[in-house]
Amino acid sequence: MEYKTRSLFFDGEITKHTVPALNDEFSRYSGQTISTLDLQHVTKIDSAGIAFIDEMLLQLELNSIDSLSMNQMVKTAYNTFTSAKLKPIKTKKKLDFFTHLGSGFINFLKSIKDGTYLVADIFYWSFVGIFDKRGQRKGSVIQQALFIGVDAFGIIALLSMILGLIIALQSAAQLRQFGANIFVADLMAVSMVTEMGPMLTAIILAGRSGSSIASEIATMQVTEEIDALKMMAINPIKYIVVPKFHAITICIPLLVTASTLIGIFGGLIIAVTYLDLSVTVFVNRVFEILTLRDALIGLGKSYFFAWVIVIIGSYYGFNVKGGAEGVGKVTTQAVVASIFWVIILDAINSLIFYF
Amino acid sequence: MKKPIISVKNLVAKYGEETILENVSVDIYPHEVTVILGGSGCGKTTFIKNILKLYQPFSGSVKIFGKEVTSMDEQEFNDILSKIGILFQNGALLNSLSIFDNAAIPLEQHTKLPNNVIEKMIKVKLDLVNLGYAIHMLPSELSGGMKKRAALARAIALDPDILICDEPSAGLDPLTSASLDELILKLKDLLNMTIVIVTHELASIHRIADRIVFLDNGRLLFSGTLEEAKKTDIPEVKTFFEVGKF
């Protein structure tokens, strides 16, 4: 590039490889008055070169083609790749604050309406599905129960044991100071049965099954499998969601019971090894302190946790937008919302039964 | 005689124990449109993916721009790839990015061009594929034909020397398919590109092909110009050009 009497002369190549250097060189002439770009001696030019020329013309405030002196090859490339001939692109009008607020509120109401319909549909078809198996795949409830229940048992058992050990160990240190060792059994029994067992199981299921339900349904939605089911006169809720709903309803009391017992067993280990309590004393105390009411409240709320996980997973799955990214987004949203609603339901339950 | 820009010799490709391509030798010449033909499952896409090292060839030689690529290291092969544009069968656009951002990826990753130059280049390329109005749209908001055109804009973003298209007309109506063919031919002339296309569409082949490569069950059945293909006595090729079916 060379500057001579109000003109910039170019020779050699103006391509994607040379443009970065030429751009730096051009910035050095920013103070000069330039009225013409001479491209007669350019030997090779590509679309990057033409975009660079357009950019120079823009910065120099020149009238595009009239300010260019160019050979035939450059002229052909310029006519093809210049951005000067592009029509201005219409940009979307930005919504003002109140329109934005209003549309957000309308969307919120719509999501409540959709969610209510979905909940009604799921409960209706789950009830009907007990008696009428048409529109469901054979063996799908067992298959789902294996995934939701059997496959999750290992991780729930392990975490319940660890949780039981932690609670017992941390409280044992305090109780020991007051000679109240025996109360570790009370603590373990009440906390595991009424709170920790159902909550831990629900959170693991939300992460494991909730994400899987949301991503499975979202993927089916994105790949038009849901539409295909509808076109085969198959109700997608009955075909996809009901087996999961039935499976989780069967599995949740078993998982919560297992989690509770294993957690208490963890407490027993600490009581025997650290607090010098005997197994008989610990077990007797557990049965003494526990009431049927506590056990029923613990199991009862776990059903609501389980159903909320299936409903939220299905809601986000059916309402996916976009492609692969949308699937990832709704999966995350489903897990977060499931855990949120599990905790909210737990709080409501505590207010109803213990306030 | 022109020197081939891509030269494949005795290529063998396998999936596990199953042989997909058996001693396939093909030369692709510069500034021509070469169409790879064959029935479903004959190994067309495998052939392309082996050339591009998406699958590692079992044996044989693949030379691009005269360089052996099968034994090339990643950095060296990336330099080759920056001169090749690829249009995948389903577009393969990144769903989380707008059409503009999708088309800008190769330029941002492989050049040191200033942002304003990149912006102008992408706007021009999207205008060339008639998507100038859709630059801020997401792939999920586009129709099948629009996605293909957006993917084509991404494939030509770097003004590649070679453009490889895997079934560009698949799933498109005849009008959209014809306009895509016209666009490919226009780009070939504008950018002086070599084009390799995998397709089944007879009408499309008549419109754009200079040279035909016909694969059958993983073997090369015919390689020659379109005129030679129309006159050949090889039954499968003859049937295809007479009936338009395999």
Side-chain angles (χ1 to χ4, degrees):
Chain A
M1 189 193 294
E2 198 184 347
Y3 174 74
K4 239 188 248 174
T5 54
R6 296 161 66 95
S7 293
L8 263 185
F9 291 86
F10 290 83
D11 56 7
E13 293 186 4
I14 311 181
T15 64
K16 55 183 176 275
H17 305 295
T18 58
V19 165
L22 287 170
N23 189 52
D24 291 343
E25 208 175 327
F26 173 67
S27 59
R28 279 194 259 133
Y29 297 110
S30 58
Q32 308 283 354
T33 310
I34 297 166
S35 55
T36 315
L37 301 177
D38 190 325
L39 304 164
Q40 287 291 349
H41 302 287
V42 171
T43 53
K44 193 179 176 190
I45 194 160
D46 62 7
S47 62
I50 299 295
F52 171 59
I53 287 165
D54 279 339
E55 191 55 33
M56 283 194 295
L57 292 169
L58 201 70
Q59 285 185 28
L60 296 169
E61 295 176 0
L62 298 176
N63 293 325
S64 61
I65 197 118
D66 302 331
S67 317
L68 295 172
S69 161
M70 50 192 167
N71 60 35
Q72 193 53 43
M73 184 266 300
V74 176
K75 205 174 270 178
T76 312
Y78 184 83
N79 289 335
T80 311
F81 295 122
T82 179
S83 58
K85 64 181 181 188
L86 296 182
K87 288 178 202 152
I89 298 155
K90 282 180 196 166
T91 47
K92 274 184 193 170
K93 213 178 157 187
K94 274 195 173 175
L95 299 177
D96 63 49
F97 175 73
F98 290 105
T99 318
H100 196 74
L101 197 72
S103 79
F105 183 68
I106 288 169
N107 285 340
F108 173 69
L109 290 181
K110 196 178 163 296
S111 71
I112 288 180
K113 188 192 86 179
D114 291 348
T116 312
Y117 278 131
L118 184 74
V119 171
D121 262 356
I122 291 175
F123 276 102
Y124 174 75
W125 288 113
S126 295
F127 183 72
V128 171
I130 298 170
F131 309 104
D132 181 5
K133 296 285 178 199
R134 277 178 305 169
Q136 290 183 52
R137 217 175 49 236
K138 257 189 187 172
S140 56
V141 176
I142 294 171
Q143 191 192 6
Q144 289 298 324
L146 286 173
F147 171 70
I148 293 170
V150 178
D151 293 353
F153 177 76
I155 186 72
I156 288 175
L158 178 69
L159 291 181
S160 301
M161 170 66 88
I162 295 170
L163 190 70
L165 290 170
I166 293 168
I167 294 173
L169 197 61
Q170 290 195 359
S171 50
Q174 303 297 320
L175 294 170
R176 221 176 177 184
Q177 293 176 28
F178 305 104
N181 294 6
I182 187 65
F183 290 116
V184 77
D186 299 42
L187 179 79
M188 290 313 300
V190 174
S191 67
M192 285 310 296
V193 169
T194 60
E195 194 56 49
M196 290 303 175
M199 182 63 97
L200 180 77
T201 309
I203 286 175
I204 292 171
L205 284 189
R208 207 176 161 279
S209 308
S211 62
S212 132
I213 292 168
S215 61
E216 182 190 332
I217 296 174
T219 309
M220 290 179 83
Q221 186 77 279
V222 168
T223 54
E224 295 176 303
E225 289 170 51
I226 304 276
D227 292 343
L229 285 174
K230 284 180 189 164
M231 289 305 103
M232 288 185 276
I234 293 169
N235 184 320
I237 292 194
K238 201 172 177 191
Y239 191 80
I240 306 163
V241 184
V242 167
K244 299 180 200 306
F245 194 87
H246 284 166
I248 210 164
T249 308
I250 295 165
C251 291
I252 194 77
L254 303 173
L255 289 173
V256 168
T257 308
S259 166
T260 305
L261 292 177
I262 293 168
I264 294 174
F265 179 69
L268 172 72
I269 291 172
I270 296 296
V272 172
T273 56
Y274 187 65
L275 296 172
D276 302 324
L277 290 177
S278 76
V279 175
T280 325
V281 169
F282 185 92
V283 172
N284 284 343
R285 186 70 188 170
V286 165
F287 281 110
E288 219 170 275
I289 196 72
L290 273 184
T291 62
L292 183 64
R293 182 176 177 269
D294 287 335
L296 289 179
I297 289 173
L299 278 180
K301 73 178 176 185
S302 68
Y303 278 108
F304 288 94
F305 294 167
W307 293 339
V308 95
I309 290 166
V310 175
I311 289 164
I312 287 175
S314 308
Y315 174 79
Y316 280 102
F318 282 117
N319 287 292
V320 65
K321 299 253 168 7
E325 197 212 5
V327 175
K329 212 181 263 179
V330 294
T331 306
T332 312
Q333 285 171 338
V335 173
V336 173
S338 298
I339 293 174
F340 173 81
W341 280 107
V342 162
I343 293 170
I344 294 293
L345 283 178
D346 196 35
I348 294 170
N349 172 76
S350 301
L351 284 175
I352 294 172
F353 293 104
Y354 298 100
F355 188 64
Chain B
M1 188 75 186
K2 279 193 277 188
K3 212 176 158 193
I5 196 163
I6 299 177
S7 179
V8 180
K9 296 268 176 276
N10 303 319
L11 179 71
V12 178
K14 291 186 175 191
Y15 289 140
E17 290 299 304
E18 196 186 349
T19 304
I20 309 297
L21 295 172
E22 217 175 306
N23 284 320
V24 174
S25 298
V26 171
D27 284 335
I28 289 162
Y29 294 95
H31 318 308
E32 283 188 352
V33 178
T34 303
V35 171
I36 316 279
L37 267 176
S40 294
C42 73
K44 302 184 296 290
T45 301
T46 306
F47 176 70
I48 297 293
K49 290 194 171 177
N50 272 271
I51 292 178
L52 297 171
K53 288 194 20 164
L54 284 171
Y55 301 147
Q56 188 62 34
F58 183 78
S59 66
S61 148
V62 178
K63 283 185 181 169
I64 304 180
F65 303 119
K67 291 179 182 170
E68 180 63 49
V69 298
T70 49
S71 53
M72 207 175 252
D73 66 33
E74 200 181 323
Q75 184 54 49
E76 217 177 336
F77 189 61
N78 282 345
D79 292 340
I80 300 265
L81 283 179
S82 67
K83 294 175 192 164
I84 303 175
I86 299 142
L87 171 59
F88 287 95
Q89 200 169 341
N90 297 314
L93 296 167
L94 303 189
N95 279 306
S96 54
L97 302 180
S98 69
I99 299 309
F100 179 90
D101 290 335
N102 261 287
I105 295 171
L107 289 165
E108 286 166 352
Q109 298 300 319
H110 294 296
T111 70
K112 292 173 182 164
L113 293 170
N115 285 342
N116 42 14
V117 170
I118 290 180
E119 192 184 323
K120 282 197 164 54
M121 286 174 75
I122 295 305
K123 281 180 178 168
V124 168
K125 295 288 162 62
L126 285 170
D127 190 63
L128 275 177
V129 299
N130 299 324
L131 279 178
Y133 61 92
I135 62 170
H136 298 302
M137 288 167 92
L138 290 169
S140 56
E141 296 170 309
L142 303 184
S143 69
M146 286 165 85
K147 275 185 195 163
K148 286 257 168 80
R149 283 187 279 140
L152 185 58
R154 182 177 68 180
I156 60 167
L158 280 168
D159 299 347
D161 296 318
I162 302 171
L163 176 67
I164 297 176
C165 307
D166 191 1
E167 303 208 23
S169 321
L172 300 182
D173 66 86
L175 272 180
T176 313
S177 166
S179 70
L180 196 68
D181 287 341
E182 271 175 36
L183 185 63
I184 288 171
L185 283 182
K186 185 179 161 191
L187 292 172
K188 178 202 156 199
D189 293 336
L190 288 176
L191 300 168
N192 211 11
M193 283 189 302
T194 305
I195 297 179
V196 181
I197 296 182
V198 173
T199 186
H200 295 287
E201 310 285 325
L202 191 59
S204 182
I205 293 161
H206 282 298
R207 274 195 296 267
I208 59 176
D210 293 317
R211 196 170 286 274
I212 302 287
V213 171
F214 202 108
L215 296 176
D216 184 51
N217 284 326
R219 290 178 187 188
L220 179 69
L221 213 59
F222 173 84
S223 176
T225 63
L226 178 63
E227 293 311 313
E228 287 167 351
K230 286 177 188 169
K231 289 175 196 157
T232 183
D233 288 330
I234 299 168
E236 289 87 346
V237 184
K238 207 174 170 181
T239 313
F240 176 75
F241 277 97
E242 279 170 4
V243 190
K245 284 181 185 164
F246 294 101

